[in-house]
Amino acid sequence: MKTSVLSCVAICVSALPQLSLAAPFFFPDMNPSFAKGDPPDWLHDGKGNDGYLTITSEVIPVSSCTQMASRSFWGSDKTQLVLSVMTQGFKGKLDKLDIPIATFDGREGGSECASLSSTPLSVVPMTVLGSYSIFNPGALSLVLNVRSSSDSNQDFIGSAKLLLGAAAIVATGGSAAAIGGISATVGNAVVGETQKKANSLLQGMVDAKVPVTFSWPELRKGIRAVDIPVYKADQSVGSLSDKQILQLQKDPKADKQLLFTVKLEFQFFRSIFYPTISHVEGLAGRENLSSEYILNFQMPGLSQNFMQILNSSAPSLLQRISRAEGSDLAKACSSGFAKLRTVGLDDVDSAIVMKSFIDEAKGDVDWYSSPALVKSCFSQVPSIQKNLELIYGPSEALSKEVLKP
């Protein structure tokens, strides 16, 4: 009798790996909610290159103690969870890169309560608002990937940390970090290569995703945040196809538990020097736009100030502009505008920086009272010249008393 019972237990246990046991499956809501507000006029009416955008992610839990794993007769599962965001169309350093924003590792104490709350992480570092038209409105997207696995034999979390950097994963106890700094330090080629390796290693996880798409005109209508709820459901994950995952995400009657919300927050601003300003008209009379302040200002994401950026090649651009007039000044200014465009300045700040640089090169601000000099430098960039006149006024209308700092 004992022998037959033991045999039965042995047979039953040996058959377990073939069973499709229920395990927690995590997935985002297919209908994100949008928080909107009245945009300032410059944002609503602008056509591009007139300001900047940043997007940050934050994971907000429903409770400070969330049961991430599930208990059963056979014990707790060993859930591993990786949340990431991929952006496209913003023309930033991180476009088309899968950026980890939070992780959960349930291989130790899997069913104990946990929190996936995180401090804000930059998924779109400061980038210029793109130009658009009726025929080319821009195709922008943010894709939230929610990857999960109950396979404790695979170290998905460790792979993500190793390849993408612990600083990029805020849920493991480290401080928030702008992942853009990693790209700036090691270069896009290296980041792209590690991205391929990470994607390969994470292929073994069940991936549920939701895309959020919009155009530049839609973005400029006052989108402040996108909230994406993330749920847990007990499913036979091993047997779920991509189609079944999508059906489960769309089913409003599915038995699911809300765990947390991923908030993607949008911030818009016109100038890196004074981010809170909305109107640039007469800015020079209200704020400190001295050449000393502007040229010593360090460009966000770079280790150089604007004097170093503009004067980085030989012969010295400062020396060229100091003596230049007419076509020579136009060529020298063209070189400067190209450098400012490369580092990602909008038209407002390009006007401020180039004006400050010429002040320094010429030795004073008197040059601005000469319409011929202003035209030689700025007529090649009409949108920048327009902002120049809004900020400093038309050159012929200024007296030397007003121009002196």
Side-chain angles (χ1 to χ4, degrees):
M1 180 66 178
K2 290 183 180 180
T3 302
S4 62
V5 172
L6 291 174
S7 299
C8 177
V9 171
I11 293 173
C12 292
V13 171
S14 65
L16 281 178
Q18 301 174 10
L19 297 177
S20 183
L21 299 175
F25 166 57
F26 302 84
F27 58 95
D29 197 305
M30 289 299 291
N31 297 293
S33 61
F34 288 77
K36 298 182 179 181
D38 294 330
D41 291 341
W42 73 266
L43 182 61
H44 183 272
D45 301 332
K47 295 297 183 182
N49 292 324
D50 53 346
Y52 306 93
L53 163 71
T54 63
I55 303 177
T56 56
S57 70
E58 186 175 5
V59 179
I60 305 172
V62 172
S63 170
S64 59
C65 182
T66 303
Q67 296 294 331
M68 298 293 292
S70 300
R71 284 188 178 276
S72 67
F73 175 79
W74 304 105
S76 301
D77 60 71
K78 306 298 182 183
T79 300
Q80 296 180 71
L81 183 64
V82 176
L83 272 65
S84 63
V85 173
M86 179 177 289
T87 66
Q88 186 165 349
F90 298 94
K91 298 182 180 179
K93 297 175 181 177
L94 303 181
D95 249 17
K96 300 181 182 179
L97 294 179
D98 206 6
I99 308 163
I101 60 173
T103 62
F104 169 75
D105 191 346
R107 287 171 293 175
E108 296 182 5
S111 64
E112 297 175 2
C113 70
S115 173
L116 257 177
S117 60
S118 69
T119 49
L121 176 69
S122 176
V123 295
V124 176
M126 185 191 83
T127 187
V128 174
L129 293 170
S131 298
Y132 68 93
S133 66
I134 295 176
F135 303 104
N136 185 22
L140 309 174
S141 69
L142 296 161
V143 179
L144 173 64
N145 291 285
V146 180
R147 294 185 176 95
S148 56
S149 174
S150 295
D151 184 356
S152 60
N153 294 319
Q154 297 292 327
D155 184 15
F156 298 112
I157 302 298
S159 299
K161 292 179 184 178
L162 176 64
L163 293 173
L164 295 178
I169 302 182
V170 298
T172 56
S175 60
I179 191 173
I182 298 175
S183 178
T185 301
V186 301
N188 282 356
V190 175
V191 173
E193 187 61 31
T194 58
Q195 182 72 62
K196 292 178 183 178
K197 293 179 181 178
N199 285 340
S200 176
L201 289 168
L202 297 177
Q203 286 297 316
M205 305 185 82
V206 178
D207 188 4
K209 62 184 65 179
V210 57
V212 183
T213 60
F214 33 71
S215 63
W216 284 116
E218 290 172 330
L219 193 64
R220 300 176 75 113
K221 288 180 179 178
I223 295 178
R224 293 181 177 176
V226 177
D227 292 330
I228 308 174
V230 177
Y231 301 94
K232 180 182 79 169
D234 288 329
Q235 295 286 327
S236 299
V237 176
S239 64
L240 284 176
S241 65
D242 290 343
K243 184 177 180 180
Q244 289 171 319
I245 291 174
L246 188 59
Q247 289 175 339
L248 181 60
Q249 286 181 264
K250 291 181 176 180
D251 184 4
K253 298 181 180 180
D255 185 11
K256 57 189 178 182
Q257 175 190 357
L258 176 62
L259 291 184
F260 47 85
T261 297
V262 174
K263 177 183 285 292
L264 300 172
E265 189 170 7
F266 298 69
Q267 291 186 320
F268 304 90
F269 54 101
R270 299 197 76 178
S271 170
I272 61 174
F273 303 110
Y274 296 101
T276 60
I277 67 160
S278 182
H279 301 287
V280 299
E281 293 85 346
L283 181 64
R286 303 193 308 268
E287 306 291 352
N288 175 19
L289 292 184
S290 67
S291 59
E292 180 181 4
Y293 171 66
I294 299 301
L295 298 178
N296 281 308
F297 193 97
Q298 185 170 309
M299 176 69 185
L302 297 179
S303 59
Q304 294 179 307
N305 61 34
F306 286 109
M307 173 60 81
Q308 294 168 325
I309 291 170
L310 286 171
N311 218 34
S312 60
S313 58
S316 165
L317 187 59
L318 202 67
Q319 292 178 347
R320 288 174 60 190
I321 289 181
S322 68
R323 300 184 297 269
E325 296 182 5
S327 61
D328 289 338
L329 180 59
K331 292 177 183 178
C333 286
S334 178
S335 175
F337 289 130
K339 291 181 179 182
L340 297 181
R341 186 165 53 250
T342 298
V343 298
L345 275 200
D346 71 353
D347 292 342
V348 173
D349 287 337
S350 292
I352 294 172
V353 172
M354 188 56 75
K355 163 70 165 60
S356 302
F357 190 75
I358 299 174
D359 289 349
E360 186 69 19
K362 297 292 188 183
D364 56 43
V365 297
D366 291 356
W367 73 273
Y368 193 71
S369 62
S370 169
L373 290 177
V374 174
K375 182 178 179 180
S376 295
C377 181
F378 288 90
S379 64
Q380 60 190 303
V381 282
S383 58
I384 296 178
Q385 184 174 13
K386 179 181 178 180
N387 282 286
L388 178 78
E389 294 178 352
L390 288 174
I391 296 167
Y392 297 96
S395 63
E396 63 268 24
L398 296 179
S399 67
K400 293 184 178 181
E401 286 73 19
V402 174
L403 285 168
K404 289 189 180 298

